[in-house]
Amino acid sequence: MKRHTLLRGVFGSLLLLTPVLVFAAGSLDGTEGQQAINPTAITMFLLFVAFTLYITWWASKATTTSSTFYNAGGQISGAQNGLAIAGDFMSAASFLGITGLMYVGGFDGLILSLGAFGAWPVLMFLFAKRVRNLGSFTFIDVISQRLDRNPIRVVTAFSTILIVIMYLIAQMVGAGKLIQLLFGLPYEVALLLVSGLVLAYVAFGGMLATTWVQIIKAGLLLTGVTLIAILLLADSGFSISNLLGKATANHPKGAAILSSGVIFDDPVQILTIQISMLFGTVGLPHILMRLFTVPDMRQAKLSAYYASLFIGYFYIALLVLGFGSIAYVAGAPEFFDAGGKLIGGSNMAAIHVATAMGGDILTGFMSAVCFATILAVVAGLTLSGAAAISHDVYAEVLKKGKPDAATELRLTRISVFVIGLAAVLLGIAFQEENIAFIATIPMVVSASVTFPILFLSLFWGGFTTRGAIVGAGVGLVSSIILIVLGPQVWVSVLGHEEAWFPYDYPALFTMPLSVMVMVWVSKSDRSARAVVDRDNYEKLLVRSEFGQSEMTAAEA
Amino acid sequence: MTDGSIEAVRRKTRLRLTFTGVHLLLYFSFTLNWTAWGTVLGDRLGATQVTGSLLMFVLLVCIFIVLETIFLVISQRSER
């Protein structure tokens, strides 16, 4: 029973990290509850909103073409973009979810930190430069330069929209619950507020406003965790050993929390989480889209590098916060209800440790940062979904790459409103549902469909359109089937006693399957198109490393 | 498009795959913590509360960043 409860919490936190805030999935050993209205939090949040709306107004004057809308005109510097990528990725979910998981299981919670961080070096080594050199607005531009553009765009745009919608549902449900908890606002009002602000940022300010919202939010989040970490260490005589000692003294598992085994004991479970986190993150469309906001390939590499620095620093700071939450929250009666349960559940451990260290002001600041974080992540997702519809499907497939610019921009803005409306309606529809499986889908599909297609397009000469489409289909279907047969749907939703498939994240199995099918079908493909696909490779390879301008110069 | 440029791209591809391979090897080595081979990682370092597992986490984050720095420097040199 204890283990079942723990795992529910673990997966609640995994969802948090994807980044999803699914308090509906239940929290560990705590109670759902609502914080008292915090005027500091509301004031700080209103300041953030006022400032970001001003930025949106400023950005809207520059957002007059599709190019400025999708990629901010490619004028963001590497350092700015690195911070924006970090802002897109370091969600409230990471902050609350990982700290909460460490509060429960100590060291085991760090698997999520390393899993998430590990993606950034891969993005830099494999994709940053090549994707930037080959694409315009989305990663689909990259693969359609080599493979048959119409079918491959339709398939990858479908997977992008699926990832974005699933991600958005989970985000909106989590956001509604979190804001209800932190600010005392009704769930529906919270959804409308998030959606309204995101629509304003994205529809009027496009990528430029979204980028600056993410930069500001990343700066605030890094400031907040730094402040809490310094206060925790200061109170422990600036000795991490003292802090860990206080944590072990407060935790029922004692010194066991300093090494593995409190939550996880199956190395295969660890491997499948690592694969889902790493390859899933690298293939996320809204992360890849950020590579096009910089002026050149060098800045694209620098973006990934700076993102790693910020995200690496963030996760090391979370190590201090995680153990600090055990040391300063676990033994403090003010954070527990009459039944002895942690107020708000373990996902609130990060906010409680802020209260323990900095009182109402730091609590208010961190609550406002969490809200800002949700806005930044939802804005990035909405923009990515709108680009898949208006650029990849309308402009490139329906209009064969020659759309009317004004119509494309208008369609993009309409897509943003439709996605925003759908997000609110789906958020309300799934309010009372156990949506854990919905939050799992984006990472697994991204690892099993997007990553293999992008990787093989850029690194294997034998890859063909047919291989990509069949492999993507196998990756998608196997991911959905194994998630349904896994504990999140088979047990938690359908109520069966035992799952057919034991792991929540099946990417360890679906990603290799998808790659093998892509390779096998491509190797056996004797079609005329396959010859073109293979012949395109060397030209694509040179352009991916040297850029279009140098290719043109060489050919001249 | 010359043979020279294709060879240069192949060299860069080998570099990319080598760095990725080293990174993935280190990344998946973290799983050792949950296996019998990694039991020693659970031991404390001297008189401190810090365990080998915690040190491994911090070192891996730092090593990944160092790997990226080296990759960036090598790439920039080869582009000059």
Side-chain angles (χ1 to χ4, degrees), chain A residues 109-409:
Chain A
L110 290 175
I111 184 62
L112 303 185
S113 293
L114 195 77
F117 177 67
W120 303 101
V122 174
L123 184 76
M124 183 185 172
F125 298 148
L126 293 181
F127 293 150
K129 182 178 179 183
R130 290 190 172 186
V131 167
R132 172 63 186 81
N133 272 343
L134 292 172
S136 311
F137 302 133
T138 68
F139 81 94
I140 302 173
D141 292 331
V142 176
I143 48 182
S144 65
Q145 291 207 19
R146 179 181 167 195
L147 305 178
D148 194 359
R149 51 185 291 150
N150 278 5
I152 203 68
R153 271 190 189 274
V154 170
V155 167
T156 42
F158 175 76
S159 75
T160 295
I161 292 166
L162 178 75
I163 290 168
V164 167
I165 293 287
M166 295 292 130
Y167 223 113
L168 265 179
I169 292 174
Q171 274 289 328
M172 293 303 274
V173 173
K177 302 277 179 190
L178 177 68
I179 292 164
Q180 199 175 18
L181 201 65
L182 291 178
F183 292 85
L185 286 173
Y187 180 87
E188 289 80 4
V189 174
L191 290 197
L192 286 171
L193 191 59
V194 170
S195 194
L197 285 168
V198 167
L199 286 180
Y201 296 149
V202 180
F204 300 108
M207 182 57 98
L208 192 56
T210 302
T211 299
W212 279 102
V213 169
Q214 288 166 341
I215 289 173
I216 294 166
K217 166 251 149 164
L220 292 174
L221 186 58
L222 287 172
T223 305
V225 295
T226 302
L227 198 58
I228 300 172
I230 289 174
L231 290 170
L232 283 166
L233 288 172
D235 208 59
S236 306
F238 285 102
S239 161
I240 188 76
S241 185
N242 287 349
L243 182 71
L244 295 174
K246 285 181 190 172
T248 54
N250 266 355
H251 199 284
K253 294 278 182 183
I257 60 168
L258 301 179
S259 54
S260 62
V262 174
I263 298 172
F264 299 109
D265 55 10
D266 180 0
V268 180
Q269 179 79 280
I270 294 295
L271 265 181
T272 197
I273 290 171
Q274 281 190 298
I275 286 186
S276 303
M277 301 289 303
L278 188 146
F279 296 107
T281 301
V282 174
L284 285 175
H286 63 292
I287 298 287
L288 290 167
M289 194 177 175
R290 290 225 57 90
L291 295 174
F292 304 112
T293 62
V294 290
D296 55 43
M297 55 194 182
R298 185 169 178 275
Q299 295 298 321
K301 274 191 299 190
L302 282 176
S303 300
Y305 181 67
Y306 281 117
S308 283
L309 290 181
F310 294 126
I311 295 169
Y313 169 77
F314 174 71
Y315 285 128
I316 287 180
L318 279 197
L319 184 151
V320 178
L321 262 67
F323 286 106
S325 69
I326 305 172
Y328 289 88
V329 174
E334 64 267 31
F335 300 119
F336 292 81
D337 64 15
K341 304 285 187 187
L342 188 67
I343 297 168
S346 63
N347 287 320
M348 286 298 286
I351 298 294
H352 291 325
V353 80
T355 311
M357 290 293 109
D360 274 354
I361 291 181
L362 197 51
T363 309
F365 179 73
M366 293 315 296
S367 300
V369 168
C370 288
F371 202 156
T373 291
I374 290 165
L375 294 177
V377 175
V378 174
L381 281 170
T382 306
L383 191 62
S384 177
I389 295 169
S390 57
H391 174 66
D392 292 317
V393 177
Y394 168 76
E396 296 296 328
V397 176
L398 298 178
K399 294 294 173 185
K400 314 281 183 208
K402 295 187 176 68
D404 171 59
T407 310
E408 186 184 354
L409 188 58

Side-chain angles (χ1 to χ4, degrees), chain B residues 7-66:
Chain B
E7 185 47 42
V9 174
R10 287 201 175 123
R11 249 193 334 268
K12 284 168 181 276
T13 302
R14 279 196 294 274
L15 183 74
R16 291 180 188 287
L17 294 177
T18 304
F19 270 85
T20 306
V22 171
H23 169 72
L24 291 179
L25 200 67
L26 291 167
Y27 175 76
F28 287 115
S29 72
F30 198 57
T31 310
L32 280 175
N33 280 291
W34 286 268
T35 67
W37 295 316
T39 316
V40 68
L41 291 166
D43 294 344
R44 292 185 192 176
L45 303 175
T48 71
Q49 298 283 332
V50 179
T51 58
S53 299
L54 288 170
L55 186 67
M56 185 182 192
F57 171 80
V58 176
L59 282 178
L60 281 177
V61 171
C62 296
I63 290 170
F64 292 168
I65 290 173
V66 170

